[in-house]
Amino acid sequence: MIPELGLFALVVALFIASALATLPIIGAARSNLAWMQLARPAALAQFVFVLLAFGCLMASFVNNDFSVVNVATNSNSQLPLPYRMAASWGSHEGSMLLWVLMLSGWTCAVSLLSRSLPLAMVARVLGVMGFISVGFLLFILLTSNPFDRLLPPAMDGRDLNPLLQDPGMVIHPPMLYMGYVGFAVAFAF
């Protein structure tokens, strides 16, 4: 049930990102105040749903849900808890979801910290960030779904790549992605 909730949250995040990518930009072009004002709540809602999806993926790893392909191929019941949590971004699918989480976090930060900027500018910036999110969310949902099911479920997982079983793995990718994805903010402006 948790993986289905995560997948549902990703689909909702895609719809929110689609609205964020279109309505505020059209509103800025037509001076429609109501559409421009949708940008901030949409950015926050997108972050909440992507965070929920990532939380569902991490819960699947922590609970050793080997009915999820991603968990079965990148974790093991004997793996220590910190590495099981880090295994959630140790695969392509999980790292793409971490990337989108960071992107939606930056989008939310821009929406919260841009109160002094003109509304039309904020609407355009958040709209561009919404377009980027739409691209990544579509990629995840169509080609790299981290919530694919394995039927019948595996008895145990294959294990995390031994090269990734290092304390640096726990902090390195989130810190690295925070910096890389932060360039989307500069691009949007």
Side-chain angles (χ1 to χ4, degrees):
M1 184 66 180
I2 289 176
E4 285 75 20
L5 178 63
L7 182 60
F8 177 74
L10 279 180
V11 171
V12 171
L14 174 63
F15 283 114
I16 293 169
S18 299
L20 177 61
T22 54
L23 296 177
I25 291 176
I26 294 169
R30 295 184 179 172
S31 299
N32 185 328
L33 188 63
W35 284 15
M36 287 189 287
Q37 289 175 334
L38 285 174
R40 285 190 172 102
L44 179 62
Q46 177 191 339
F47 175 68
V48 167
F49 280 99
V50 172
L51 183 64
L52 175 64
F54 190 80
C56 289
L57 180 63
M58 191 169 283
S60 296
F61 274 94
V62 169
N63 296 328
N64 292 319
D65 184 357
F66 298 120
S67 69
V68 177
V69 174
N70 194 7
V71 178
T73 57
N74 296 292
S75 186
N76 187 300
S77 60
Q78 301 301 314
L79 201 61
L81 181 62
Y83 293 136
R84 280 201 316 256
M85 293 172 68
S88 63
W89 57 75
S91 65
H92 167 75
E93 295 84 0
S95 84
M96 289 303 299
L97 187 54
L98 178 64
W99 187 277
V100 171
L101 177 65
M102 293 294 174
L103 179 60
S104 63
W106 276 114
T107 305
C108 185
V110 168
S111 74
L112 295 173
L113 300 173
S114 62
R115 302 279 180 204
S116 61
L117 296 175
L119 184 59
M121 180 180 185
V122 172
R124 288 183 177 108
V125 168
L126 292 177
V128 169
M129 294 186 79
F131 268 114
I132 298 169
S133 295
V134 166
F136 278 104
L137 286 165
L138 277 173
F139 179 76
I140 287 173
L141 289 168
L142 297 177
T143 66
S144 298
N145 185 354
F147 300 107
D148 278 342
R149 286 294 195 163
L150 179 64
L151 295 173
M155 296 300 290
D156 204 354
R158 286 197 315 210
D159 204 6
L160 181 63
N161 181 338
L163 294 173
L164 301 177
Q165 294 180 29
D166 184 89
M169 174 61 180
V170 177
I171 60 168
H172 178 262
M175 299 302 288
L176 182 72
Y177 283 12
M178 192 180 305
Y180 278 157
V181 178
F183 283 113
V185 176
F187 173 77
F189 272 94

